[in-house]
Amino acid sequence: MKGFRWLVIVLFLLVTLVPFLWLILASFKTSSELFSAPFKLPEHWSWDNYRSVLESHPIPKYFFNSLILAVSSTILAVAIATLVSYAFMYKFKFKPGLLLLITFGIFIPTNAFLVPYYFIVNWIGLYDSLAGVALVYAGVSLPLSILIVKTYMESIQHEILEASFIDGASVHRTFFNVILPISYPGMTTASIFLMITAWNELLFANLLTQSEGTRTLQVAIRFFLSTFSANYPVAFAAMVIAVLPTILIYSLLSEKIIGGLTAGAVK
Amino acid sequence: MTRKSKWLGAGASLVLAASLVLTGCGSKSGDAGSSPTGSASSSEASSGKEIDLTMLSSWSTDTERGKALKTIVDKFNQENAGKIKVSVDINPDWPSYQEKVKTMIAANQTPDLFNYNFNPNDLSRQQSGKLLDFTPYMDAEWKARFSEQDLQAMTVDGKLTSIPFEKAGILFYYNKELFTKAGIAEFPKTWDEFFQACDKLKAAGITPISLMTADDAWHTTNAFTYLAASIAGTSVFEPGKSLDTPEVAKAAEYLKKLFDNTTPDALGGNYSVSSNNFLTGNSAMIIDGPWLIGSIKEDMASKIGVAAAPTFGDGKVQPGFTVTDAYTPWAAGVQKDKNKEQAIVKFLKFMTSEESSKTFTLEGHILLSTKLNLSADEANKSGPVMGQYIQTNSKSPESIVNIVRTLKPGAISKLPSIIEKLALGKASPEEFAKELQAANQ
């Protein structure tokens, strides 16, 4: 049984790690090496591809833009999701219908709303600004954030709320001093999902930005894989740069993600 | 202040602070116009201020064509300093860029200037009523820069809403060294000779041709278009004609044969995989446009030959005929301000002038619809492969646009998987033709 467990672990590691290791190896190769011997080690380990990435385009600027977008849209969406989830801890009229309406957003394909999103962002004067993209990211990911945070809040004993009110705390004070501090695992889980999604997003970043000052890292990677020239090793180097933060976030906070996902599973 | 109003105050401050932070983060570096429609500059134009034109393009300055475009734009801006300023905003991903332009048109925010793949089966842009009609500006001098056939092709419902620009010929590139190694003296003139040459190459342990099936299956659809046109003439894919014909099925049969002569990674491989197979000497032939030349390494250039396609020698097509990429014209949004409209026309006239065309062809390796007289010396100076390309392409007596650029959008997305089914033997050539016709309905 133990042997089988290890076999599954090794197979899983092969499936998940090998493509990533191959990507890293390929980012050190030349184009001809990559296509003549895709699975061999590079003949000469050189940072040339990474140097090309950093010298040809202002990658640190794009990196910073992606970071700002990921962080600001996540803060906005999680803040709203937390407030909404707290409201759902109380009883009020049409609660089930409202919840259904809010979470129904998960099933709506975002591509169907490209034109309205573009029109609205342009109309409020936020086209080609990070603020416009952040608002769209926050809006698109709101149903999922609410679902995650609400699921976590549901696992909180209702007696805590009652005890807080008996001690004289108001609805707001109960939220800030009682519910918020114990909801952070749910909020962290939602934040991680949202940050990774925002970091990797390409469709809206492409649609709603235009100039160099607002370009994100994911859009910039396309510079190395355009229709008229595709330098894969250099593109792979750019991809490694782009993928590192998400791996870092996941590795550091994986326990919180699992904790947040399983919270509320057993009451 | 009551506790409630304190909370409200704190909430309001938080929202304000958040919006300030977001708006602050959104400040641009100022390298491009912010208004996609350019409406902000209309009042500037009438008050004599510099007119800002925003041009969307996918031509990154990492590419030869992007550098050539930058040279032309910089020169225009210099000549019109204080009057007109053209800013180029690059979106390097061509499919996303095309989608973005369509979205902008649908949202009534048509870009000042943009290029796109002309498809006679998808005239949504031209029929939107949001593209500038160049007919009133087409004076004799400007008209003389284009062929009548190209201007006619760009005219939809009596309006010339696009200016012919790029129309690249797709030719056969072959590795002369590998051909010699296989005992082939010259590039085959007929398809029978072509498949005999493939057998010789295979016997010498060389993969004859690079193909691909991912994305738009570009190199494969070039081959298929050449085969279909060789069998049925250059009108084989004209809009309205059925694709479920014995000729199309026959071309599919030959295409299937071609898959026996390609690399194992052709199935599922994309443009890069396919072109790199040729560029690294893994295959002996590829069918592609002039943009491939920019990726040929110096030590490889002397080994590369460029040739026109074989024919069946039955007169269905003239020897030397070419498959071309789609027309990639430039278009502009309808403008409220007449000065801005005139500025757009002035820039497009500059871009399609003899001098600019020379820069685009010799430095950017772009073959244009505009008329261009290049001396043999000038053509050769553009490099050994480009020289051969220009000479072969200029002799083309007739042409046909690649099938993937002429089908309806639904059929374009299905074609790669239909090709894969054919290559894997899951569909017969007749079924291939039937499925293609069904997808194109």
Side-chain angles (χ1 to χ4, degrees):
Chain A
M1 194 64 197
K2 206 174 177 185
F4 178 72
R5 190 193 299 163
W6 274 107
L7 184 76
V8 172
I9 290 172
V10 168
L11 274 176
F12 183 75
L13 277 176
L14 275 176
V15 171
T16 51
L17 275 185
V18 167
F20 185 62
L21 288 176
W22 185 87
L23 180 80
I24 294 175
L25 283 181
S27 71
F28 286 97
K29 290 181 176 179
T30 60
S31 248
S32 54
E33 269 183 276
L34 178 69
F35 285 94
S36 55
F39 297 102
K40 270 191 183 169
L41 286 175
E43 275 173 31
H44 306 285
W45 291 84
S46 119
W47 291 97
D48 284 356
N49 294 330
Y50 286 88
R51 212 169 289 129
S52 296
V53 168
L54 295 170
E55 281 171 2
S56 55
H57 294 280
I59 295 294
K61 166 79 184 157
Y62 303 152
F63 192 97
F64 182 71
N65 285 347
S66 288
L67 191 71
I68 291 281
L69 267 181
V71 172
S72 58
S73 62
T74 301
I75 291 175
L76 198 62
V78 173
I80 298 169
T82 310
L83 289 167
V84 172
S85 304
Y86 178 57
F88 275 105
M89 288 185 85
Y90 294 92
K91 283 181 185 152
F92 53 89
K93 235 182 177 181
F94 308 119
K95 185 177 159 181
L98 202 61
L99 180 68
L100 191 73
L101 191 73
I102 290 170
T103 49
F104 187 69
I106 293 173
F107 304 107
I108 297 173
T110 45
N111 291 24
F113 291 96
L114 283 184
V115 176
Y117 277 133
Y118 177 83
F119 183 83
I120 292 167
V121 169
N122 194 48
W123 181 62
I124 56 175
L126 291 178
Y127 175 73
D128 199 24
S129 74
L130 294 182
V133 188
L135 279 176
V136 171
Y137 283 0
V140 168
S141 52
L142 200 55
L144 180 69
S145 339
I146 291 173
L147 203 69
I148 295 172
V149 180
K150 198 191 137 301
T151 308
Y152 187 82
M153 279 195 189
E154 273 173 359
S155 70
I156 298 169
Q157 301 281 334
H158 236 256
E159 286 76 6
I160 293 176
L161 274 182
E162 286 160 19
S164 173
F165 292 140
I166 290 165
D167 286 345
S170 67
V171 171
H172 296 110
R173 196 175 171 87
T174 305
F175 174 67
F176 283 107
N177 290 19
V178 181
I179 300 298
L180 206 55
I182 53 174
S183 298
Y184 89 96
M187 291 163 66
T188 313
T189 308
S191 303
I192 294 160
F193 271 117
L194 264 52
M195 278 194 71
I196 292 175
T197 311
W199 184 267
N200 292 327
E201 208 279 336
L202 177 68
L203 185 73
F204 288 112
N206 238 328
L207 182 73
L208 301 171
T209 64
Q210 175 169 305
S211 59
E212 194 176 273
T214 55
R215 196 168 285 144
T216 66
L217 200 52
Q218 298 301 330
V219 176
I221 286 176
R222 305 306 302 173
F223 275 110
F224 308 104
L225 290 172
S226 69
T227 316
F228 304 104
S229 124
N231 190 335
Y232 267 78
V234 177
F236 289 156
M239 283 174 199
V240 170
I241 294 171
V243 89
L244 278 179
T246 47
I247 290 173
L248 204 68
I249 291 171
Y250 194 84
S251 321
L252 293 176
L253 303 168
S254 59
E255 279 179 29
K256 292 273 185 300
I257 296 177
I258 296 159
L261 282 176
T262 51
V266 182
K267 284 202 179 182
Chain B
M1 196 183 261
T2 63
R3 185 176 282 179
K4 197 175 178 180
S5 58
K6 229 182 202 173
W7 279 117
L8 282 174
S13 313
L14 193 72
V15 171
L16 190 66
S19 58
L20 278 175
V21 167
L22 279 172
T23 316
C25 292
S27 60
K28 287 158 273 186
S29 66
D31 64 341
S34 60
S35 167
T37 51
S39 54
S41 56
S42 63
S43 58
E44 287 169 12
S46 48
S47 62
K49 282 187 187 171
E50 192 175 65
I51 300 170
D52 283 324
L53 299 180
T54 304
M55 178 181 202
L56 297 195
S57 163
S58 69
W59 301 354
S60 145
T61 44
D62 299 313
T63 60
E64 289 167 329
R65 57 180 54 217
K67 283 177 195 153
L69 178 66
K70 190 177 180 310
T71 306
I72 304 286
V73 169
D74 286 349
K75 201 172 171 200
F76 179 83
N77 284 342
Q78 216 172 0
E79 283 180 16
N80 294 277
K83 293 175 199 156
I84 307 168
K85 188 178 177 230
V86 180
S87 311
V88 185
D89 278 327
I90 298 159
N91 192 323
D93 188 49
W94 181 250
S96 314
Y97 164 65
Q98 294 281 287
E99 207 49 52
K100 179 171 178 169
V101 167
K102 279 190 172 183
T103 307
M104 290 173 86
I105 293 173
N108 207 15
Q109 306 289 341
T110 313
D112 289 343
L113 283 155
F114 64 95
N115 60 347
Y116 70 96
N117 269 348
F118 181 86
N119 182 344
N121 274 314
D122 176 17
L123 298 173
S124 55
R125 304 172 195 84
Q126 293 89 336
Q127 289 169 340
S128 66
K130 289 162 190 166
L131 300 195
L132 184 63
D133 180 13
F134 293 101
T135 316
Y137 295 102
M138 213 18 95
D139 51 41
E141 197 187 338
W142 201 18
K143 207 174 182 177
R145 295 288 309 130
F146 311 99
S147 76
E148 195 54 44
Q149 185 198 355
D150 288 348
L151 287 173
Q152 276 303 319
M154 296 296 109
T155 305
V156 176
D157 301 332
K159 287 181 179 172
L160 181 69
T161 46
S162 307
I163 295 300
F165 194 69
E166 188 177 359
K167 192 183 144 195
I170 310 297
L171 296 174
F172 282 68
Y173 296 80
Y174 63 103
N175 188 319
K176 290 189 270 189
E177 200 177 71
L178 296 180
F179 264 53
T180 311
K181 214 169 147 185
I184 307 161
E186 58 170 0
F187 194 80
K189 295 267 187 299
T190 67
W191 282 106
D192 290 339
E193 286 171 19
F194 180 88
F195 283 107
Q196 282 164 17
C198 286
D199 291 341
K200 281 185 185 172
L201 284 163
K202 275 206 289 189
I206 301 159
T207 306
I209 191 164
S210 276
L211 295 175
M212 58 182 272
T213 61
D215 304 327
D216 57 1
W218 178 246
H219 294 135
T220 308
T221 53
N222 284 333
F224 179 66
T225 311
Y226 264 122
L227 284 163
S230 300
I231 294 166
T234 51
S235 63
V236 61
F237 299 137
E238 263 178 14
K241 273 196 174 179
S242 172
L243 296 168
D244 185 11
T245 61
E247 288 84 7
V248 172
K250 186 85 187 155
E253 198 182 315
Y254 277 108
L255 185 68
K256 170 113 179 56
K257 209 170 156 188
L258 217 50
F259 269 99
D260 299 332
N261 292 288
T262 190
T263 53
D265 53 12
L267 273 170
N270 64 8
Y271 180 88
S272 258
V273 171
S274 179
S275 54
N276 273 291
N277 273 329
F278 176 74
L279 296 168
T280 53
N282 282 351
S283 69
M285 287 180 277
I286 195 164
I287 314 171
D288 206 356
W291 45 83
L292 181 80
I293 298 166
S295 306
I296 298 173
K297 294 263 185 300
E298 260 179 54
D299 57 330
M300 187 85 172
S302 58
K303 299 175 192 167
I304 306 295
V306 181
T311 67
F312 283 102
D314 55 3
K316 289 276 183 192
V317 279
Q318 297 179 57
F321 84 104
T322 49
V323 166
T324 70
D325 193 359
Y327 283 102
T328 309
W330 285 92
V334 168
Q335 302 296 325
K336 284 180 192 158
D337 189 290
K338 206 78 188 158
N339 291 333
K340 191 167 181 184
E341 190 175 302
Q342 282 161 0
I344 286 172
V345 172
K346 187 173 183 183
F347 175 69
L348 284 176
K349 281 185 176 178
F350 182 84
M351 210 166 76
T352 50
S353 66
E354 171 92 22
E355 202 186 334
S356 298
S357 301
K358 213 171 252 187
T359 306
F360 276 122
T361 303
L362 298 180
E363 292 174 25
H365 291 165
I366 312 174
L367 267 289
L368 304 178
S369 299
T370 49
K371 287 175 186 163
L372 181 63
N373 294 313
L374 280 182
S375 64
D377 247 15
E378 279 174 319
N380 289 333
K381 265 183 202 162
S382 61
V385 187
M386 192 62 185
Q388 288 183 71
Y389 175 91
I390 293 171
Q391 279 170 15
T392 313
N393 192 53
S394 63
K395 287 177 194 155
S396 167
E398 57 180 331
S399 64
I400 172 174
V401 177
N402 178 311
I403 184 171
V404 87
R405 302 288 194 236
T406 50
L407 294 174
K408 288 184 176 159
I412 292 171
S413 59
K414 274 194 180 166
L415 182 59
S417 65
I418 303 175
I419 290 175
E420 281 177 352
K421 276 167 83 177
L422 176 82
L424 290 166
K426 289 181 178 172
S428 66
E430 289 73 25
E431 285 166 338
F432 172 92
K434 220 174 268 308
E435 271 197 53
L436 193 58
Q437 170 63 13
N440 202 40
Q441 288 304 301

